[in-house]
Amino acid sequence: MPQLDCPECERDIAMHELETRTVAQTTGFETNYRCPFCRSDFDEVAELMA
């Protein structure tokens, strides 16, 4: 299972633990992610992969 490091609390998060929010816009979809531990939001997960 892929893991990433939270940019705020630096804890390891498994991909299935991430909280996601996807919003439909006129230009497509926008997805934001939230750490389940410290509740910080971030947009990209690819560069956070451990």
Side-chain angles (χ1 to χ4, degrees), residues 5-11 38 40-42:
D5 294 328
C6 174
E8 292 294 318
C9 68
E10 299 179 0
R11 290 181 71 169
C38 70
S40 66
D41 293 324
F42 41 94

Side-chain angles (χ1 to χ4, degrees), residues 28-43:
F29 294 97
E30 178 181 312
T31 302
N32 296 333
Y33 304 91
R34 177 173 284 170
C35 174
F37 304 110
C38 70
R39 303 302 221 190
S40 66
D41 293 324
F42 41 94
D43 295 326

